[in-house]
Amino acid sequence: MHYITPDLCDAYPDQIQVVEPMFSNFGGRDSFGGQIVTLKCFEDNSLVREQSEQQGKGKVLVVDGGGSLRRALLGDVLAEKAAKNGWEGMIIYGCVRDVDVLAQTDLGVQALASHPLKTDKRGLGDLNVVVSFGGVTFRPGEYVYADNNGIIVSPSALSMPD
């Protein structure tokens, strides 16, 4: 499905929250959306790996990496796993790496920046907790939509207006 966030904002102005403009598109999909699955982790992508290996059809992984610009929470290997398992996309409040490969991967990826250094693997983090960044609160089970215009969040699924 192709989403256009300005059209969704116009059609559902009372239902959406708009994330502050701080993210860039790194994935092979310019537009993506789905039901929110959240992770909270800091410079440890162990749970990102675990979720990438799960079935993700219709879902978007929202990763609160604390805004760290010191380590990459997603790279080509995990992005390929996520795409293979049907994830619609990932929103990373932190960094990614292997950006040339990410751009060729059938996965939506929005993140703050790129960074070549991988994370430590300590198995730390929380799955499906409420996270907040960019002026918006992300709740597991709600919906997120992203394109090159920005990222929006809605408590319920939205359909593109005609």
Side-chain angles (χ1 to χ4, degrees):
M1 179 76 182
H2 187 76
Y3 299 100
I4 303 168
T5 58
D7 291 353
L8 291 171
C9 287
D10 293 350
Y12 304 98
D14 298 332
Q15 293 181 42
I16 56 102
Q17 297 179 75
V18 179
V19 178
E20 294 169 359
M22 61 177 77
F23 289 86
S24 296
N25 190 353
F26 292 95
R29 291 185 185 176
D30 286 340
S31 157
F32 62 96
Q35 193 169 33
I36 295 171
V37 174
T38 63
L39 285 180
K40 187 174 182 82
C41 56
F42 186 75
E43 297 182 3
D44 180 344
N45 72 344
S46 303
L47 291 182
V48 177
R49 174 178 295 281
E50 285 179 18
Q51 288 306 300
S52 297
E53 295 170 346
Q54 304 300 314
Q55 182 53 242
K57 182 88 175 127
K59 296 178 185 173
V60 174
L61 190 62
V62 175
V63 180
D64 180 353
S68 172
L69 300 178
R70 300 185 307 195
R71 302 282 179 125
L73 291 170
L74 178 71
D76 58 349
V77 173
L78 297 188
E80 291 285 348
K81 282 184 192 208
K84 190 180 99 181
N85 287 317
W87 285 88
E88 305 300 326
M90 294 187 183
I91 296 169
I92 312 272
Y93 185 50
C95 292
V96 296
R97 67 185 203 162
D98 305 312
V99 296
D100 296 330
V101 178
L102 291 183
Q104 304 301 315
T105 305
D106 186 23
L107 182 72
V109 178
Q110 296 253 355
L112 296 178
S114 62
H115 196 289
L117 189 61
K118 68 181 181 178
T119 68
D120 294 328
K121 309 286 188 289
R122 299 180 310 272
L124 301 175
D126 297 302
L127 175 64
N128 279 325
V129 294
V130 175
V131 298
S132 297
F133 55 82
V136 169
T137 298
F138 298 85
R139 292 176 180 83
E142 292 190 348
Y143 290 81
V144 64
Y145 302 92
D147 66 6
N148 288 325
N149 296 292
I151 301 170
I152 63 172
V153 176
S154 170
S156 57
L158 303 177
S159 56
M160 282 298 299
D162 293 330

